Amino acid sequence: MRVWLSQDAAARALGADAVAAALRREAAARGVALDLVRTGSHGMVWLEPLLEIAGPHGRMAFGPMTPADVPALFERPAAHPRALGPTQSLDWMARQTRLTFARCGINDPLDLSAYEAAGGLAGLRKALAMPPAEVVRAVTESGLRGRGGAGFPAGIKWKTAAGAAAAQKYVVCNADEGDSGTFADRMLIEGDPFCLIEGMAIAGHAIGATRGYVYLRSEYPDAIGILTRALAVARSEGVLGPQVLGRGAAFDIELRIGAGAYVCGEETSLLNSIEGLRPVVRAKPPLPAIEGLFGRPTVVNNVITLASVPVILDRGADFYRDFGIGRSRGTIPLQLAGNVRRGGLFEAAFGLTLAEIVDDLAGGTASGRPVKAVQVGGPLGAYFPRALFDTPFGYEEYAGRDGLIGHAGIVVFDDSVDMLAQARFAMEFCAIESCGKCTPCRVGAVRGVETIDRIARGDAAARSLLAELCDTMKYGSLCALGGFTPYPVMSALAHFPQDFDRAREAAE
Amino acid sequence: MPSTSVVNGARIRAIIAEHAGREGPLLPILLAIQEEWGHLPREALPVVAEALNLTRAEVFGVASFYHDLREAPPGRHVLRLCRAEACQAVGAAALAEAAQARLGIGWGETTADGAVTLEPVFCLGLCACGPAALVDGRPVGRLDALGLDALLAEVR
């Protein structure tokens, strides 16, 4: 009997390993030959541990599984209390446009032949047959923008690095996914690591780089283990090495592990970290595309940006660009998190409204209480009230409402949340994680905590002071950490002023 | 694990040699030393500085920056609780208070019996199944006070 069972960290966190052990025990006791394939996750975290067996209409899903649910699987699976039906027909799966995550959750992430059979390496093969400038043009025409949060057009960055003359260039993958509410990078690396490797190899060909680095955070031990092994497989099978796929130039990737610093997700801090310097932020210019790692031309892209490149090369720039709205082209892996009934990853074309995402996809709160606020885009993203739930998911659409989509993490809070406490936390987090190089961030965040504490004590004058402080941080900080911390703070103040009044009333 | 009181210079130099061929070897070296000793012994830093032709200040500047790099050995088990927003939305703050009360320690501290070190972490990427924790590197989701008691009983 063949069984597919997720080994994604979220599935393991919810007991997948115990289910695997129960499967082995039960199969042995019944004398059934068990072929257990540990896969990545389909992204339906509320159904994890999710298990699949072959059925007449494709794989049949069961979840959330516990060890106690395992014996019945060997009896009449169709009548199993955890039976969900064919995986691909589940509402959550059927409604997605899975381009970047097309293979995630399906196969053993280290099975390169399964990767190829599912369409993997087709993009790289096509890219290697094209002149590098054509590859850059395809990425530019696809409209792909930086999925790490900055939203900078990937093709322009690539073109800049491609045009810079240097003996050594680099492709650096930013896998320092520190934003709360985001786990797309982790899920992709744990579920389909060859997709990232393929995207980086394409980038190497496009810009003329022979070396790549993946900077992966230490908080993701499972992803570290899988990517380490995937790189070894890619090397031994000739996807990486002196001649990519036997026809390209040399390209190899080294994995670097972070050491717990949120600011290292900022690209220049990340480069300093790889170089072995104290990872403070660098002033720009020079742009990393011209003077990046070790002062050489470097493309720094997020995991999802790079992992979206293979499908663009395989299916064409037009195919990708035809999804989306406005200047937000293609698809985005939405990550539904926090207090949600259905949490997980949902890849869709840009354009879904926040109401569709929160009320429909996520099904409201897990607690059953009304949604009060939704933080979009990580700890530097704005808190949106229900009044803004008509905002379509897109870079400009969120910027136009004083928010940001960031890395597409969506964290839902119910009505028990205290928005003054959330604003305070944003400042506290910035103070803890500031690299200390620029004053608005280093000092501003500490003063921000103090100022919010004054508001909490009923000091009404502190409110305008907070607004001024946020202005200084926004316009005076060197990077997005100090520059964007005002988003959660000011959105909390603007949209939930009653939470900042309550303390004063108590004081009076 | 080697003795934490005596830092073996030869072993440190061997670790340095393993990474010497890499570009930017400093952080991988510091992580490898911590992996071996459980923390970054202060005496190791000058050895690293000399081998890489850096000043002690440069090495200290890197070593002191990162949350992961510890100056003192941790307990036998490390419990990392997520403090970030997605976990806050499902009760992480109350869970953290419960953990501190049960262990009788604050963030970054180790219980007197040396069994458990409690560390904050800002996001484990388990944001759809919080509150999340990492227990000796093993991910745990939807952790509540009961689950916490079971975990602590397991490791103590």
Side-chain angles (χ1 to χ4, degrees):
Chain A
M1 183 161 101
R2 173 169 276 198
V3 177
W4 294 271
L5 174 66
S6 173
Q7 64 172 2
D8 180 274
R12 293 188 60 225
L14 297 172
D17 290 350
V19 172
L23 279 167
R24 290 198 187 91
R25 255 195 329 267
E26 194 66 25
R30 291 169 184 261
V32 175
L34 176 72
D35 177 12
L36 178 60
V37 181
R38 298 300 296 267
T39 65
S41 174
H42 287 293
M44 298 176 280
V45 176
W46 81 99
L47 294 177
E48 295 284 8
L50 185 95
L51 169 159
E52 296 170 292
I53 60 172
H57 309 289
R59 293 189 199 171
M60 307 291 290
F62 299 82
M65 290 291 287
T66 66
D69 297 319
V70 167
L73 201 66
F74 290 80
E75 305 284 341
R76 287 176 50 233
H80 196 283
R82 303 281 183 197
L84 300 164
T87 312
Q88 295 306 326
S89 306
L90 295 176
D91 190 52
W92 181 274
M93 297 305 290
R95 289 170 65 186
Q96 292 188 62
T97 305
R98 286 223 175 196
L99 304 184
T100 308
F101 282 81
R103 286 169 299 259
C104 193
I106 294 177
N107 294 318
D108 173 352
L110 298 172
D111 185 341
L112 187 62
S113 50
Y115 176 73
E116 260 194 284
L121 297 181
L124 177 57
R125 288 215 165 84
K126 286 187 184 169
L128 293 177
M130 292 159 68
E134 288 298 308
V135 178
V136 173
R137 189 155 73 182
V139 172
T140 306
E141 286 178 354
S142 74
L144 178 67
R145 294 167 69 179
R147 297 286 188 254
F152 190 81
I156 308 259
K157 202 183 259 189
W158 287 27
K159 193 176 179 187
T160 307
Q168 180 69 60
K169 300 182 192 179
Y170 298 98
V171 176
V172 172
C173 170
N174 184 345
D176 195 40
E177 183 176 53
D179 286 357
S180 175
T182 69
F183 44 86
D185 297 353
R186 181 187 63 66
M187 224 182 92
L188 187 109
I189 289 173
E190 292 178 10
D192 197 19
F194 294 126
C195 182
L196 171 62
I197 293 169
E198 183 181 352
M200 289 182 71
I202 293 171
H205 170 65
I207 70 159
T210 55
R211 304 191 76 143
Y213 284 94
V214 177
Y215 188 90
L216 181 54
R217 60 202 301 263
S218 63
E219 292 86 345
Y220 286 179
D222 288 28
I224 292 169
I226 288 172
L227 189 55
T228 302
R229 286 182 284 156
L231 288 170
V233 172
R235 242 172 248 130
S236 71
E237 299 296 320
V239 178
L240 297 174
Q243 217 180 16
V244 170
L245 291 180
R247 61 187 297 184
F251 189 74
D252 209 337
I253 298 171
E254 184 175 333
L255 177 60
R256 284 298 171 96
I257 311 302
Y262 178 76
V263 78
C264 286
E266 196 284 330
E267 62 178 3
T268 62
S269 163
L270 185 155
L271 295 175
N272 278 341
S273 181
I274 296 177
E275 289 188 25
L277 305 171
R278 188 170 167 93
V280 292
V281 171
R282 299 177 186 173
K284 287 192 276 193
L287 295 172
I290 295 165
E291 279 181 49
L293 191 61
F294 301 106
R296 294 159 180 161
T298 305
V299 156
V300 186
N301 278 144
N302 170 254
V303 173
I304 303 304
T305 313
L306 289 162
S308 299
V309 167
V311 70
I312 289 169
L313 269 293
D314 182 29
R315 310 281 293 268
D318 293 355
F319 169 79
Y320 192 80
R321 193 187 51 210
D322 286 348
F323 295 98
I325 54 162
R327 290 177 53 214
S328 305
R329 311 310 313 173
T331 59
I332 182 85
L334 301 166
Q335 297 135 79
L336 282 54
N339 194 339
V340 283
R341 210 152 68 82
R342 291 186 291 269
L345 184 140
F346 189 97
E347 183 177 353
F350 283 97
L352 288 176
T353 66
L354 197 50
E356 288 172 302
I357 296 167
V358 172
D359 298 329
D360 183 15
L361 296 179
T365 61
S367 59
R369 301 176 66 101
V371 174
K372 176 169 172 179
V374 179
Q375 188 178 30
V376 180
L380 308 176
Y383 285 99
F384 274 20
R386 189 163 275 284
L388 296 180
F389 275 19
D390 61 341
T391 314
F393 209 85
Y395 294 98
E396 281 68 33
E397 289 72 13
Y398 271 71
R401 291 186 158 184
D402 290 327
L404 49 107
I405 65 167
H407 187 47
I410 291 152
V411 178
V412 177
F413 292 80
D414 72 12
D415 62 352
S416 65
V417 68
D418 172 7
M419 297 309 293
L420 181 142
Q422 296 309 117
R424 187 186 191 279
F425 176 79
M427 284 292 190
E428 184 193 359
F429 181 72
C430 183
I432 293 170
E433 298 297 331
S434 175
C435 82
K437 179 156 176 170
C438 73
T439 316
C441 174
R442 184 188 65 245
V443 179
V446 177
R447 294 288 172 265
V449 172
E450 294 166 1
T451 309
I452 292 170
D453 283 345
R454 277 174 60 184
I455 296 174
R457 286 195 301 267
D459 181 348
R463 243 187 234 215
S464 59
L465 194 62
L466 181 65
E468 274 183 48
L469 176 66
C470 281
D471 237 31
T472 303
M473 290 176 70
K474 188 172 174 182
Y475 297 106
S477 296
L478 206 47
C479 82
L481 179 49
F484 288 3
T485 293
Y487 279 107
V489 175
M490 291 310 292
S491 60
L493 186 58
H495 302 309
F496 307 94
Q498 66 281 5
D499 285 17
F500 292 75
D501 284 340
R502 192 198 49 208
R504 182 174 57 195
E505 285 159 9
E508 276 165 0
Chain B
M1 192 185 292
S3 160
T4 51
S5 58
V6 182
V7 173
N8 183 331
R11 181 66 196 126
I12 287 178
R13 278 186 287 276
I15 289 172
I16 294 168
E18 278 169 38
H19 296 276
R22 304 171 86 168
E23 296 178 309
L26 179 54
L27 184 54
I29 288 170
L30 296 180
L31 287 170
I33 293 172
Q34 171 150 307
E35 175 80 24
E36 184 134 341
W37 273 272
H39 73 297
L40 201 52
R42 186 62 76 93
E43 313 90 277
L45 301 186
V47 183
V48 174
E50 195 186 345
L52 298 184
N53 199 22
L54 297 169
T55 65
R56 291 178 188 200
E58 283 167 324
V59 174
F60 182 76
V62 171
S64 60
F65 190 92
Y66 296 98
H67 299 307
D68 286 2
L69 297 177
R70 302 186 185 95
E71 286 190 31
R76 292 189 295 282
H77 303 281
V78 177
L79 172 61
R80 307 184 79 184
L81 285 182
C82 179
R83 282 194 63 201
E85 288 90 339
C87 287
Q88 289 170 17
V90 283
L95 183 69
E97 272 177 38
Q100 295 184 347
R102 278 168 173 72
L103 293 168
I105 54 174
W107 294 122
E109 295 175 1
T110 302
T111 52
D113 61 359
V116 184
T117 297
L118 180 66
E119 292 183 342
V121 60
F122 292 100
C123 198
L124 296 166
L126 303 171
C127 319
C129 55
L134 213 52
V135 185
D136 298 332
R138 179 168 63 90
V140 182
R142 288 194 207 119
L143 189 59
D144 54 16
L146 273 177
L148 182 72
D149 286 342
L151 269 184
L152 294 178
E154 212 176 284
V155 302
R156 292 194 88 162

